[in-house]
Amino acid sequence: HGDARAQATCLLRPVQRYARLGASAPLPPFLDSRVGQRTAIAPAALRAYLAQQGIGEADVGGAVDAPLSRAVGRLVAPVARYFVIHDTSYPNFLAEPIPAHINDASWDFNDFSLRNPALGGGPKGHVYVNRLGDSLLVRDFGTASYASKLEKDKPSLTGLFLHVELVQPRHSVPGGGKGNDGLAPDPGFTPAQYERLALLYIAASVRKGTWLIPAFHAVLDTGFANGHDDPQNFSLSDWSTALVRLESALRLEKTGQ
């Protein structure tokens, strides 16, 4: 309910262990001043930046001037509104500690050429981001695809949500039940993941023409049985810092400096 800022404030409540949600807090200034507003970033400026950085448009969800997905099953189908942040919660090392090299290229789950290990139980949503900051397109942001219990329960909502999975392993909480995956690394994600997530959010918002409403998967699925608990240990502050830095770079690209 409410305007875009109110919805983002609700949907970005911190996700704690076992999918418990923290209290809502003010949005970081970047999001607070932009969510729901026009992006003012031209696709051409974003395309030039991507070319300069050697990043393909497929790596940011598809062509930056293409339309986003629309809600399915409706006579008047609204364009995607929400940018949903997930973690893969995979692999689960159970009683073993999480390896020390998960942020290195030597860790198999950072290698998207080994597709099944990287994606866990099979590809869902739109884009995956490994711990090196590389991204893998599963479906274009223009393709409606569900990856939440909310959409499964209400299929007509599919297409309103763009889904990004951040690679994050887990292991078990001692005494928390056999096979549980309650413990995530802390910090949960790498600077490179926040940078690529920022780029994906900006690219999707440029395609929309307005800044999308970001959401955490666990908050979106609140109230559903066996709901998800991701993303764990996500820093809105670190993501906001990456967004500020990237938008500044795009402004310089626009002015030709």
Side-chain angles (χ1 to χ4, degrees):
H1 299 289
D3 63 14
R5 289 171 63 245
Q7 291 184 46
T9 301
C10 170
L11 292 169
L12 291 175
R13 283 173 286 169
V15 182
Q16 301 168 351
R17 193 180 300 174
Y18 304 131
R20 297 188 181 100
L21 302 180
S24 60
L27 295 172
F30 182 95
L31 294 174
D32 187 65
S33 63
R34 288 167 178 77
V35 168
Q37 304 300 311
R38 293 190 61 80
T39 55
I41 298 172
L46 177 57
R47 180 168 281 144
Y49 174 83
L50 293 174
Q52 184 183 71
Q53 300 299 316
I55 300 171
E57 291 182 49
D59 294 327
V60 295
V64 298
D65 55 0
L68 294 179
S69 62
R70 289 180 175 270
V72 300
R74 299 190 182 192
L75 291 176
V76 179
V79 177
R81 295 174 183 163
Y82 302 93
F83 182 88
V84 186
I85 302 167
H86 303 245
D87 77 53
T88 59
S89 306
Y90 185 87
N92 183 0
F93 290 96
L94 301 174
E96 298 298 319
I98 293 174
H101 69 295
I102 62 170
N103 298 336
D104 300 339
S106 60
W107 192 49
D108 283 350
F109 298 90
N110 285 324
D111 186 352
F112 282 137
S113 68
L114 303 174
R115 201 169 153 132
N116 288 334
L119 303 188
K124 303 179 290 293
H126 294 91
V127 180
Y128 282 69
V129 180
N130 68 18
R131 301 187 70 81
L132 306 176
D134 300 321
S135 48
L136 173 69
L137 179 70
V138 173
R139 294 177 186 85
D140 190 287
F141 281 153
T143 302
S145 175
Y146 82 86
S148 69
K149 290 181 181 292
L150 174 64
E151 294 160 285
K152 190 173 183 179
D153 183 65
K154 296 180 171 62
S156 64
L157 298 180
T158 301
L160 288 180
F161 303 89
L162 307 179
H163 297 280
V164 177
E165 293 268 0
L166 304 175
V167 172
Q168 182 191 73
R170 299 287 187 91
H171 63 157
S172 296
V173 177
K178 185 177 180 181
N180 79 82
D181 62 356
L183 288 179
D186 191 6
F189 305 98
T190 66
Q193 282 182 299
Y194 288 119
E195 289 284 342
R196 183 51 57 95
L197 186 68
L199 185 57
L200 286 161
Y201 175 68
I202 288 176
S205 296
V206 166
R207 288 172 67 168
K208 167 83 171 182
T210 57
W211 294 98
L212 293 166
I213 300 169
F216 291 147
H217 182 199
V219 185
L220 197 65
D221 280 353
T222 299
F224 289 94
N226 300 313
H228 293 268
D229 67 344
D230 59 308
Q232 287 284 307
N233 298 331
F234 187 92
S235 171
L236 272 179
S237 175
D238 287 352
W239 187 41
S240 181
T241 296
L243 285 165
V244 169
R245 183 164 52 245
L246 183 54
E247 190 196 44
S248 177
L250 285 165
R251 282 202 304 269
L252 291 175
E253 187 68 43
K254 178 180 178 181
T255 60
Q257 297 182 21

